[in-house]
Amino acid sequence: MVILRFFLAGFLLPMIIGCTLAATRGEYFSYPLLLDAERPTLKHVGKLEFRGAVEIRGARLGGLSGLWVALDGRQFVAISDLGRLVSGLLKYDTAENLVGIDQVTVQPVLDINGLPVKGRRHDSEEIARSCTGSWLISFEQEHRLANFPTLKALPEMLPIPLGLADAPANGGIEAMTVLPDCRVILFEEGDDDGQTTRRGWITPWPPVRASDWQTLSLRVPALFRPTSATASPVGLILLERQITLLGGWKARIVRVPDTELLAGAEVIGEELARLEMPLLVDNFEGIAARPGPHGETLIYLISDNNVSPLQRTILMLLALPGNDK
């Protein structure tokens, strides 16, 4: 692991060219980044248009693994696998490119007793908004799902799917979202074992018992694993991750029509883009989407720096054109 980190440090550390420091409130800072430091005019990857990216630095910001963005694109909430909620505002330039963050606050995720989650129970991985306005948070290590009426309220624990308790401790529900018809969908990350099928579950909202969850599966390329999911105007969008010693970090952004998300289905998504060196890439674990003002679908990615000085917390904005639906 140490060898891998030192290798990745030399291979992946950022090259920030011609950028100025943009300060957020207090101790939080964001630095604009290019899609490709060697090709500063590059604006497309796969079917997606690059709309800006920033590196975020500040106390208690590490480990961000899930992301939610408001419909107007102004507010964001990210979940840390250290049991923290990070919220703030997003800043754009006149061309609607992402250029920074502002008014950042950090607060603990609470347990059912109103205390900050701790120990093995603090590994919060994904966040989503239910159709009733509550917040869903998934946890690994001790696999569970919590429903928060507000982000400062005490949670209600939801029944988890049958079989989820047997998931790898660090390979549970990292991909979760709520579909437009209010169904909740989950995908298991699983082991880094090269398998090309990952377990999934889907249920109407709200689940009352474990048997309410019905199974489906996700087909992925070898060595890729699902790390986040989001509903969008063009269907379910999944984020998948790969890490290898020679290839470093890679990320796939995949689209699945909502009509294919049925119990018993094997889901095979359409790849919209793949991020890998020399493009801007890190340990992308969170994804969010919203409709853009010109018919496009705006897709946000956030990376988990594993609380390591050798990695970065990157927030990236990409756009799928409105004529690609």
Side-chain angles (χ1 to χ4, degrees):
M1 186 65 177
V2 173
I3 293 174
L4 177 61
R5 286 186 174 177
F6 275 101
F7 171 81
L8 293 176
F11 197 53
L12 297 177
L13 283 177
M15 295 179 65
I16 304 172
I17 298 178
C19 299
T20 57
L21 176 65
T24 67
R25 185 179 69 178
E27 59 203 13
Y28 302 105
F29 302 91
S30 57
Y31 305 77
L33 299 170
L34 301 171
L35 179 60
D36 187 333
E38 298 296 327
R39 295 178 290 171
T41 60
L42 183 66
K43 294 297 181 183
H44 289 87
V45 53
K47 294 186 175 184
L48 304 181
E49 177 189 357
F50 179 68
R51 293 283 190 88
V54 294
E55 178 182 356
I56 305 170
R57 294 185 183 179
R60 301 185 297 162
L61 283 185
L64 302 184
S65 58
L67 181 66
W68 172 88
V69 174
L71 284 176
D72 64 3
R74 183 148 172 78
Q75 183 185 10
F76 77 91
V77 178
I79 189 79
S80 166
D81 54 21
L82 298 175
R84 297 170 186 157
L85 288 160
V86 178
S87 58
L89 302 180
L90 300 175
K91 298 168 64 176
Y92 306 86
D93 63 17
T94 56
E96 302 175 340
N97 295 308
L98 178 68
V99 295
I101 59 172
D102 199 5
Q103 300 184 30
V104 175
T105 61
V106 180
Q107 68 184 66
V109 177
L110 301 179
D111 64 19
I112 58 174
N113 299 311
L115 300 174
V117 291
K118 60 178 61 176
R120 284 176 52 85
R121 298 182 64 80
H122 77 198
D123 192 359
S124 45
E125 290 288 345
E126 179 72 296
I127 188 168
R129 201 85 188 261
S130 79
C131 285
T132 55
S134 61
W135 297 85
L136 307 182
I137 295 178
S138 67
F139 296 82
E140 287 186 332
Q141 305 298 328
E142 292 187 16
H143 303 299
R144 61 199 192 280
L145 295 170
N147 182 42
F148 293 77
T150 73
L151 290 177
K152 294 184 178 180
L154 301 185
E156 169 198 7
M157 304 312 296
L158 298 176
I160 64 173
L162 298 171
L164 178 57
D166 299 327
N170 201 39
I173 299 305
E174 290 213 17
M176 172 182 69
T177 195
V178 177
L179 301 173
D181 62 4
C182 295
R183 289 179 300 164
V184 183
I185 189 166
L186 316 172
F187 287 105
E188 175 192 54
E189 182 187 16
D191 279 320
D192 189 11
D193 53 10
Q195 295 295 315
T196 57
T197 301
R198 301 296 171 180
R199 294 188 299 175
W201 296 271
I202 193 165
T203 185
W205 174 257
V208 176
R209 58 189 67 84
S211 59
D212 289 345
W213 294 97
Q214 297 179 296
T215 60
L216 70 166
S217 62
L218 173 68
R219 179 71 65 86
V220 296
L223 302 181
F224 277 93
R225 295 187 286 171
T227 62
S228 193
T230 184
S232 85
V234 296
L236 178 72
I237 299 181
L238 287 159
L239 176 63
E240 299 170 0
R241 174 189 59 198
Q242 181 192 107
I243 173 66
T244 62
L245 184 61
L246 295 180
W249 300 108
K250 295 182 182 181
R252 292 178 79 234
I253 302 167
V254 175
R255 173 176 58 182
V256 181
D258 290 338
T259 54
E260 296 183 10
L261 302 173
L262 302 172
E266 181 182 60
V267 175
I268 303 174
E270 171 201 4
E271 183 175 299
L272 298 177
R274 186 176 296 210
L275 293 167
E276 55 189 321
M277 292 296 292
L279 301 181
L280 180 63
V281 68
D282 206 288
N283 180 29
F284 284 118
E285 283 205 16
I287 193 168
R290 68 180 181 93
H294 310 295
E296 74 275 42
T297 298
L298 298 174
I299 300 170
Y300 299 77
L301 306 179
I302 200 161
S303 68
D304 176 354
N305 70 353
N306 290 311
V307 199
S308 167
L310 306 182
Q311 293 178 244
R312 297 167 287 173
T313 299
I314 297 172
L315 181 62
M316 180 185 293
L317 175 58
L318 301 161
L320 179 68
N323 57 6
D324 195 342
K325 293 187 178 180

